[in-house]
Every structure is written in C-alpha cells, then in structure tokens.
Amino acid sequence: MVDRETYFVDVLVPLPLASYFTYRVPFKFNEIVAIGKRVVVQFGSKKLYAGIIVNIHQRIPNQSNVKYILDILDNEPIVTNLQLRFWKWLSEYYMAHEGEVMNAALPTALKLASESKLLLNPDCDIPQAQLTDKEFLIVQALELNHIITLTEVSEIVEQKKVMPIVKTLIEKGFVIPEEDIIEKYRPKTEAYIRLSDLYKQESKLEEISKELEKRAFKQLELLLAYLKYTNFFSGKPQEISKSKLIKESGISQSILTSLVKKGIFEIYEKNQSRLKKFTSSKSVENLILSEKQKESLRLINSFFETKDVCLLHGITGSGKTEIYIKLIEEQVKMGKQVLYLVPEIALTAQIINRLKEYFGDELGFYHSKYGNNERVEVWQNLILNSSKSYKIIIGARSSIFLPFSDLGLVIIDEEHDASYKQYDPSPRYYARDSALVLAKFHNAKCLLGSATPSLESYHKALKGDYGFVELKERYSKVSLPEILIVDTVEAFRKKEMKSHFSVFLLEHIKEALDNNEQIILFQNRRGFSLRIVCDSCQWTPECNHCDVTLTYHKKLGKLKCHYCGSSKEVPTMCPNCGSHKLSMKGFGTEKIEEELPLFFPEAIVKRMDLDTTRNKNSYIQIINDFQDRKIDILVGTQMVSKGLDFENVGLVGVMNADNMLYYPDFRAYERSFQQLTQVSGRSGRKNKRGKVIIQTSQPYHSVIRDVIDNNYKSMYNSQMEERVNYKYPPFYRIIKISLKHKDYSLLNEVAGKFADLLRPKLGTRVLGPEYPMVSRIRNLYIKNILIKFEIKASHKAVKDIINDAINKIHEKKEYRSVYINPDVDPM
C-alpha cells in the first residue's frame, strides 16, 4: 500500500451483532494492516475488543465520527480467508451471528477484551472525610498503586458487587475509569546460557580459564562443563538450558550467578512449546490389512474418484482404524493435511496412541481438555503453514475451526454420534455436517465411519449421494459377541435380583473374573440415586432453578442438579409432611461402583463418567489403567460405548436398557440401537468371542431384537417408515426455536405472538409453542416452536421468515428481554 493514503477496515467483533464495524486505519499502520489480523478497537464509549479484519477498502463511511483502530496485535494474520468464508457459512446456515462463530472458533487466549481499571483523579480537591469506609480503602489503594482493576477493588472491599461503590467514587470525582486490553496468551519460556561475545575468542577464553583456576575453581568447573555439553569447539555449538547445565554439571545456581555477574555467561529466554512431540516407531507399509479391509480401501478410493463423501459402515471390531491409517498415509505423502474428528475427548487418547506410532511428530491434537495456551500453540503451528506444521489433527468438534491451509481428507469417526452437535451457546452447529462443508471448501474428500450410521447418512448412501462401503467381518474373523437378555420383571418375580443386579449377570461377572477377563458395565445415568422420594406423601426434592428432580451423589454427600450444577444438602425429613421415611429410587453409575465390591471384594472397580473425568488428564488415566489391566470392572455412562478398543474385555453388562427406549424423542429407538450395539462391540474384540448381557423389562422390544440379531437394516426400515409418516429427517428438515424468559406470563405472550407471525407464511409447518419436558432451566422458563419443512423447500426462505418474525418481536421494547434461540437441525 502507498503510505499516506486513507484506508478503512471492516472489523468483526466477538459479539452477537448482525454486522461488521468500520474503523479508520492510522497512517502508521498502512503498511502492516491485513485481512485476518487482530486489531484493538474501541466499541461503545469505553469497551475495547480484539476484532478480526475482514475487509480493507477506501470507501468513506456514512457516519462522521469514524473511530481509529488503536493497535494491530499480530505480525501475521491468525485467520485465513478460507476460514472467514467458512465462518460466514456457519453463521448463515445455523442462524448465528458471525461474532458468535468467531467466539466459538478462536482459542480463549486469542480472544482479548478490556478490563476496567481505576485511576485517581489528579484534579479532585474534595476532602477525603466525605468518603465512606469502603470508598476510603479504594482511594488508599490507588494512592499506593496508582491504578487498580475492578477485580482488585472486589478483593479490597471484600464483596462481589462493587459497581455501586465505584459509580459513587466517579460521581464524587475521586477516580476516573480507564480501559486496558488484556493479552491472555503467554508463551512458555526457558532460560538458556551462552558465552558472552568477548569470551567466544579462544585467547580470552584461555585467559579467563587460567584466572578462574587460581581463584574460583568451581566456576572453572562450570565453564568447562558448559564447553563440554555444548560441544563448543566443534564449530557448531549446541544451545543448553540453564536447568540442564546445572543438573548435568552438579554445580549450584550461585556459581552460575557469579559467572553471569562477571560477564562470562549471558542468560537469555527462549520460547518453548507446550505441545507433546511424538516419535514414530512403525511404518504404515508394514500395516497388514485383511482381504476384506483391502477391498474396502479399494472401494473407498474408487468412490473418491467421482464422489466427495463416502460412508464406511463397518461393524464393531472390523478394523476401520487401520483403513483410516492407510488413507491418511496417502494424503500425507501428497503433502496434504488430514482432520480426524472423534465425538468424545475420551476417544482421542486411544486414537493418538495408535496413530503416533505411524506418524510421530506430524500428528497434533485439539480439544477442550487442552489448556488455553496449548490450544493457541496448535493454532499457531497450523497458521505458520511450514514444513514443521502438523499434517494430521485429531480432535473433537471444535477442531473444524482450526486454520487448515490444504486439507486433503476429513475423517469423521462414529459419525452418528450426537456429541458432534453444539447445543449452547450459539452457534448451535453440527460438526459432522459442518465438516462436510469445510472439506468442500478445501476440495477435500470426506469419509464417514460408523458401525451404526445415522439414518440420514445411510439414507444418502443408499440414494447414491455418498459412496457406500460395508465391512461386515470382524478383524481376524472373531465372532460378534453373544447377546443374552435378562427379563427384569421376571427376575424380580422370581426374586433373582440382588439390588440392581440379576443373579444371571452376577454369575457371568464372576465367571469373567475367574477367567482373568475384564468387564464393562454400562448405565447411562450418573450419580448414586436418581431421586429421593417420601414414602408417605411422594414428595421429591427439586432444583430451585430448574424444573427437575435432584440426583443424589453419595461421594459429595449432596443432591445435585445435572442441568445447572446447583446442589442441596440431603434432607433428614420430608419438608412437606414431616415424615422420616425417605427412600432412594433409581440408580446411577456411582451406586453400581459402590455395590460391586459387596459381591466381588477382590475386584478393582472404577467409574468413568462426567463426574470422574472433569480433571484434565483423568479420562486418559482411567483408559490407560483399564488397558493396562489395573482395573477389573469399569462402570460408565455412554463414554464407555464409543469406539474404545480393549483386548481383554470378556463381558459387557447393560444395567437398564429401558431408560433409553422410552426417552421422548423421535430418535430414541435409533439412539438406543446405536448405544446398545456400540457398547456390545467392546466385548470380545481380539482373540475370543465375548458376551453381552442386557437387563430390560421389555425383552421382546423390536430394538432389543434388532440388537441381538445385529440387524441394522431392520431398524433402519422400521424407523424410516415412521419418519416418512410423521415428517421427520431425512425427509423433512427441522428448525427448533426456543424462547426463554424468567417471567412465565411474558414468555407465554411472546411465544404465542411469535408463532402467529410465522403461521401466515409457514402454515401447518409450525408446531407449538409447547413446554418441553424440562420447562425451566437456570430460572428461565422455556417454550419451543418446531418448524418442519420439506427437504426441497428453500432453506434460506424459511430462515428469512423466522428472522423477520424475530425482528418484529424485538421492535416492541418490553419483548426484547425474551431470548429467542433458533436451532437448525436439532439433535
């Protein structure tokens, strides 16, 4: 750009707003301004944000008071043009603002915002006697520190709500506010040692060595150690860290400090990566595929010649991962990047362990358990687009936002899984479908893999929209597990239930333990007891903020809400009738974990659910311990059902299949089949046929029978018939609109008017408004409106109608406080 010309930039700010905002570029930034860089901009009267430049132009804006950008934060763009296009598509398709997409996409440490700070007003001459005690403490702190943040004010006065006090101080003229941008990312640095330039000369080095020999022999020892460990005289000396030099030489820090003071050594800081480096130990060429796997690989590559997407329907244990590895190798050889999506963080540990053996430091991973700084370093690794950049990324749904430069292949493992859907906050994107679009932007191929594909993907494969490959044989021709059913109604009648375990299940657990095999027990409810009930009046404790009963967690000793996270003490008596007869009903993973040692005192039992995997590496530890056979029985929720590969599992027990079958959702049967089939697939995967025992009160239910027969096609056909009749995907599209407000009456009024605005154009496609099963969460009442429209109808036209209705509702001031959240393709 030519200097002194006037430029403007359109900036995307991380806020739920419908447009970009135009700022003027100071002349000093003309040469360095670029699309994709972060800039500090003032938004409103005081707030500062780091926005992304999306456009540079010389069009003079209509408004007269155009603000200047205050600073440019990056030397090089951190967001690519392709990413900006992808963000725009996501915002349009999922009815979100681009600022919300930006918020979801960028690692937290790259999202900067201002924190209000306070300064003493130098022009204030009001006597401090007019201050209250708390105001005086704040002014006193300012006199000592000159500037303090609102967080520090809160600590000084020992209260959370400080704005009223601050507002009074500003009005009295004692303080003035200031905004400051906060950089959250901090590179990890390490101190390194080098010889100062003077002593790099051999004559000077010899001279100082003789002097040290006479007066400070320990210092000489450290100098000689430095020369040795850096190979100083080789002509190509190596760098050495301060910590390594002290450790290798065995000489104290004080000796090193003395050499630094004398000017012999210099200390300098060097950035260090927080990311793990892997070393490959196997060659993909030596990976042997079965004949069925080879045929599947050939067919996939054949379909990729004419189609962009292929569905691999491979039964559990059929060796899909080996096929993925071969496909990844092909792309890496061509210099392309690969994105390998998994639905759960728990799966990344096992997949990484397998892939790192083949791909070493070409492999990176990205998910929410990574720290903020680590996520930034993965982002920076890819944006550099150098020979050292990752060629393969394994990650959960947020990985689709990474700055890929040349994707060749996207693999979506367990493509059916609902965990690919982002529910709250906006954007409520579906990572599987979004990844298909991302692949298209890169002209890349996409492979969907699952033992139990989603009905939508299977339907597209049968129609010919996708390539379709089936792998019906387990690796090494191991048989699918034997599935046995326990009728819990009959077992209770015959008194063959011990707590929540049938005698039949307990006998098989004992048999597996005697055979030195491991066991997985699946119960899709966490906690100890699902609810506490008064035997006299049937009262049950509920959450104060949500319309749900509280779950008892014995380890915490509290009742907990699984929606808002609030907790209560366990009551000793019924507050409704005063009775002390309180019973626990239902059971979760915590109760199973506690009761198992009563039957098998020698067995080591562990639990894997949301409560036990909150810490950064806890899920990895549990998986590794189970794989290393340090755990005999693993109790878990759906986490244990997803693609995990353990070679010594002889038995899988499903504690209660009923709570999946009767969930009020049109996908309930599909998901029940998927979960039961997936968890069954964890049994007998390597050397021998495993067993699965399903406890249910409905042993002849169609889904249970299809699971026993491993008959996906039967489930698919029955469900598709219902989907056609009741207008559900894949024959119709759905947009769910949730309206939320703390005032029950206002919500009813707005929801009714909103539906009335939609019906003239959408007619009977509009269903509701209705209260959902849980009608209040975090003190907000909820009403849902469902829009079902034909697959051939214009998606954009329907969304325009919805957006027009939202705008009309918000025209009325008293209605603006009602949240209206569209969810496209809800799961």
Side-chain angles (χ1 to χ4, degrees), residues 542-566:
E542 294 183 353
C543 177
N544 292 338
H545 315 291
C546 311
D547 285 343
V548 291
T549 56
L550 297 170
T551 301
Y552 175 53
H553 288 250
K554 189 169 183 180
K555 191 172 183 181
L556 295 173
K558 290 187 176 182
L559 298 167
K560 193 172 179 182
C561 175
H562 287 175
Y563 282 83
C564 71
S566 64

Side-chain angles (χ1 to χ4, degrees), residues 11 74 164 172 309 379 389 408 447 473 564 586 671 674 725 760 772:
V11 176
D74 306 304
K172 288 179 178 178
V309 184
W379 189 284
S389 294
L447 180 65
E473 183 182 279
C564 71
R671 287 185 178 152
Q674 287 166 343
N725 293 336

Side-chain angles (χ1 to χ4, degrees), residues 46-145:
K46 293 178 182 177
K47 278 284 183 184
L48 302 180
Y49 286 98
I52 298 284
I53 298 174
V54 296
N55 191 22
I56 303 169
H57 56 85
Q58 292 184 289
R59 298 187 303 275
I60 299 172
N62 294 329
Q63 67 266 35
S64 57
N65 58 336
V66 181
K67 295 173 184 173
Y68 283 89
I69 59 173
L70 302 177
D71 199 3
I72 296 179
L73 294 171
D74 306 304
N75 295 324
E76 299 294 335
I78 65 157
V79 176
T80 67
N81 283 315
L82 193 147
Q83 279 179 290
L84 291 172
R85 282 175 53 210
F86 183 50
W87 291 5
K88 190 169 186 64
W89 176 85
L90 283 164
S91 73
E92 290 173 354
Y93 186 84
Y94 289 105
M95 302 184 72
H97 298 101
E98 276 188 73
E100 292 174 315
V101 178
M102 173 186 170
N103 245 336
L106 286 181
T108 304
L110 290 180
K111 294 182 287 190
L112 311 184
S114 57
E115 180 176 352
S116 294
K117 294 186 177 184
L118 299 178
L119 296 165
L120 271 180
N121 184 356
D123 300 324
C124 180
D125 55 4
I126 300 171
Q128 292 189 5
Q130 293 189 15
L131 298 174
T132 66
D133 290 346
K134 288 187 175 179
E135 289 171 351
F136 179 77
L137 288 173
I138 295 168
V139 171
Q140 193 177 45
L142 281 166
E143 287 173 344
L144 291 170
N145 301 304

Side-chain angles (χ1 to χ4, degrees), residues 82 85 304 308 331 336 405-410 436-446:
L82 193 147
R85 282 175 53 210
F304 278 160
D308 292 330
Q331 294 297 322
K336 298 278 190 177
S405 54
D406 192 13
L407 268 180
L409 175 67
V410 177
L436 297 179
V437 175
L438 178 68
K440 200 165 188 177
F441 279 9
H442 282 270
N443 295 316
K445 301 300 179 183
C446 193

Side-chain angles (χ1 to χ4, degrees), residues 54 119 344 442 510 625 656 660 754-755:
V54 296
L119 296 165
E344 289 275 3
H442 282 270
K510 183 179 185 305
D625 285 350
N656 181 13
M660 293 181 280
F754 188 77

Side-chain angles (χ1 to χ4, degrees), residues 714-733:
S714 169
M715 184 277 296
Y716 171 82
N717 289 333
S718 65
Q719 288 303 296
M720 293 303 271
E721 192 175 329
E722 288 195 11
R723 300 278 179 98
V724 171
N725 293 336
Y726 295 103
K727 298 182 178 180
Y728 282 115
F731 305 104
Y732 278 71
R733 294 186 184 275

Side-chain angles (χ1 to χ4, degrees), residues 23-40:
Y23 291 83
R24 185 171 170 179
V25 181
F27 292 132
K28 64 180 179 178
F29 291 148
N30 275 8
E31 294 296 327
I32 59 172
V33 71
I35 291 172
K37 285 187 176 182
R38 290 175 304 161
V39 289
V40 180

